[in-house]
Amino acid sequence: MQGYVSVNKEGEARLNVQELHHLEPYIPSLVKETTWYLADDPGRMEFLRNMRDTIDATTGDTKVRFALRNRGEIYLVAQTAGSLTLYFSHQTMSKLGCHPSLEGIEYRLADIPHYERRF
């Protein structure tokens, strides 16, 4: 969505939308880093192979980290090489997000631009 917010003298805000776009093309540039939380079970090796195949098939800018469940609720976060990047999209989530060994995903998003108020 592109537009602006205006506030009148009484403090009432008004949103003026000038353009509205689909979010899908912007997702790869908005998601900067993902941490994939994996269960302590044999299936996580299959998930890691699927992730590797996905990374090899598409190049992107989203950094990838893994948090591996060790004992109980303890996760070990594995730092990965900076070259291990993913093209993050709806298709990526459809392929990887439903794996039974995946317990969760943490996203680090791009900073939201801050614009100064102009009067």
Side-chain angles (χ1 to χ4, degrees), residues 31 33-39 44 47-48 50-51 54-55 62-69 75-78 80 84-99 101-108:
V31 180
E33 182 177 278
T34 57
T35 303
W36 303 79
Y37 289 82
L38 301 175
R44 75 177 169 193
F47 175 85
L48 292 172
N50 291 345
M51 174 65 82
T54 302
I55 289 171
T62 303
K63 294 179 184 174
V64 176
R65 295 187 328 160
F66 300 102
L68 309 173
R69 184 190 285 242
Y75 288 89
L76 303 174
V77 178
T80 57
L84 191 64
T85 58
L86 174 70
Y87 182 79
F88 193 84
S89 66
H90 176 69
Q91 289 81 13
T92 305
M93 281 302 302
S94 296
K95 181 178 179 181
L96 299 171
C98 62
H99 194 279
S101 293
L102 182 64
E103 294 184 337
I105 307 169
E106 181 180 352
Y107 307 96
R108 187 177 64 78

